[in-house]
Amino acid sequence: MTGRLRPTSPRPYRFLASTAAAGALLVTGCGALPGATGGSREPVTVMTWAPSGVAGPDVANMAGMTAMARTYARWTNDNGGLSGHKLRVVTCDEQDTSIGAANCARLAVKEKAVAVVGSYSRHGTAFMPPLEAAGIPYIGGYGASDEEFTSYNSYPVNGGQPALLAGNARQLARSCERVSVVRPDTLIGDDQAWLLRTGLTEAGRPAPADIRASESATSYDEAAGPALQAAGAADGCVTAVLGKRTETFFDSFRRLEPSYGNVRISSVLGSVDQPLIDSTGGRNSPFEGAYITGWYPDAGDARWDGMRQVIRKHAFGDNRIDPDDTGVQTTWIAYTVLKEIVRAIDSPQVSSWKLTAALNQGTPAETGGLTPVLRWSFDDVLGSSAYPRIVNTRVTFQVVRDGRLVADRKGFMDVTKTLSDASAKG
């Protein structure tokens, strides 16, 4: 397996001023907080970063995450703050580049942020070293970079793509006799194929057909044909994990499918989500009937009602915030963790050191059932060579029905064994 622990070699970075840093957005206020005791508790400054999609057509757009962070701050400060601390949120456009990620991390240091919360970046080698050097914990990132699951400075709230792939294998094993996996022709793609293979063979299914594809292709006809043939005409499934290109692959797939019979399709959240299903036709979407593996309960679950209420009352119609979006949901969970840890610290002043100590000591964080109770002590982390920082090894099985992602199986599925086996055998 190529997904073993990859060493991160800290190297000096030269500060580069950017529009990300210069355009940072602050959520601040004046006067004492409602419910605070005479303003005796110091404000808590944190940062949330994510690419806004404005830097180019191929740049990820996760602007809903920073917008959700600002909305959370308004709601929190209108209701007494974090245990009496005014919450100050600094946001930064990460621009989906390593330079942008590094600049956002340096801005967090400059603004004296005590944590980076609920953020998105694929560039962990750029943003993690500055945070580690400053002792700023990274709480509840989206899970888009390997460093989030290897750095001692990271406190993930989900199991990232490894957990999704392990879970996707188990979801497919329930009804698919044969599986084709279409994945990037990269080292990360090798990891993906190995996780799916491990999960399927554990469940007594044959190893999947491994179909490599370019991440930047504009058509996937060459990959779709072999994937369909390997899956077969009956009880076969094709799962694709190509990020933003997953939609492009399934366009090619649907054009070829009639000549091969009816094959079930599948993917994971992040490659396919409710906003994508909506934009491609809802119940007429090519994803109708697809199996999707996620981290959290489906968007219609009552456990999201609190978040939806906050968005309605405090987002002021900000159309960047879609409560069905996984990035928005992850940000809500990450800030819920921050609230729980600050409450447990119960101190007039909250520092990055106090947060880190509380997290490392295993202080529990309840998330209203959206995840298991989260703890990050030595005994709680997975501790495998490939994914040492994962603490949440549970996923959910969903299916697209009438244009909506709904539960395909009640409750969570624990994929600890698959993650551990994949790490040990790779």
Side-chain angles (χ1 to χ4, degrees), residues 206-241:
D210 185 10
I211 312 298
R212 294 173 170 84
S214 170
E215 284 187 296
S216 58
T218 56
S219 172
Y220 286 97
D221 289 356
E222 291 184 3
L228 284 162
Q229 287 180 319
D235 299 323
C237 296
V238 173
T239 188
V241 187

Side-chain angles (χ1 to χ4, degrees), residues 186-379:
T186 61
L187 292 176
I188 292 175
D190 292 345
D191 295 354
Q192 294 171 349
W194 183 254
L195 277 161
L196 282 158
R197 177 189 179 94
T198 302
L200 285 166
T201 54
E202 280 180 353
R205 295 294 191 184
D210 185 10
I211 312 298
R212 294 173 170 84
S214 170
E215 284 187 296
S216 58
T218 56
S219 172
Y220 286 97
D221 289 356
E222 291 184 3
L228 284 162
Q229 287 180 319
D235 299 323
C237 296
V238 173
T239 188
V241 187
L242 294 166
K244 294 187 297 180
R245 301 292 181 178
T246 301
E247 178 187 359
T248 305
F249 168 77
F250 281 120
D251 283 343
S252 298
F253 174 93
R254 288 305 192 194
R255 287 196 299 271
L256 296 178
E257 186 187 14
S259 63
Y260 289 92
N262 186 24
V263 177
R264 197 74 176 258
I265 65 173
S266 177
S267 190
V268 298
L269 280 177
S271 289
V272 175
D273 55 15
Q274 189 62 55
L276 176 60
I277 295 165
D278 293 341
S279 69
T280 55
R283 66 181 60 197
N284 297 315
S285 164
F287 301 106
E288 181 67 21
Y291 292 132
I292 307 293
T293 307
W295 293 307
Y296 316 126
D298 65 274
D301 192 285
R303 283 169 283 189
W304 293 112
D305 287 352
M307 180 191 72
R308 290 179 179 275
Q309 184 176 9
V310 168
I311 292 171
R312 282 194 301 270
K313 292 185 176 180
H314 297 272
F316 305 136
D318 191 334
N319 59 13
R320 294 173 299 172
I321 303 177
D322 185 341
D324 294 346
D325 178 73
T326 312
V328 169
Q329 294 171 350
T330 299
T331 303
W332 172 263
I333 291 171
Y335 272 90
T336 301
V337 168
L338 176 69
K339 177 184 70 175
E340 292 286 294
I341 301 303
V342 170
R343 178 185 297 166
I345 292 173
D346 191 23
S347 170
Q349 189 265 342
V350 175
S351 64
S352 58
W353 180 86
K354 288 181 180 179
L355 278 176
T356 300
L359 289 161
N360 290 341
Q361 289 165 7
T363 302
E366 296 270 1
T367 63
L370 296 170
T371 68
V373 177
L374 299 172
R375 299 180 180 86
W376 291 270
S377 73
F378 178 80
D379 293 333

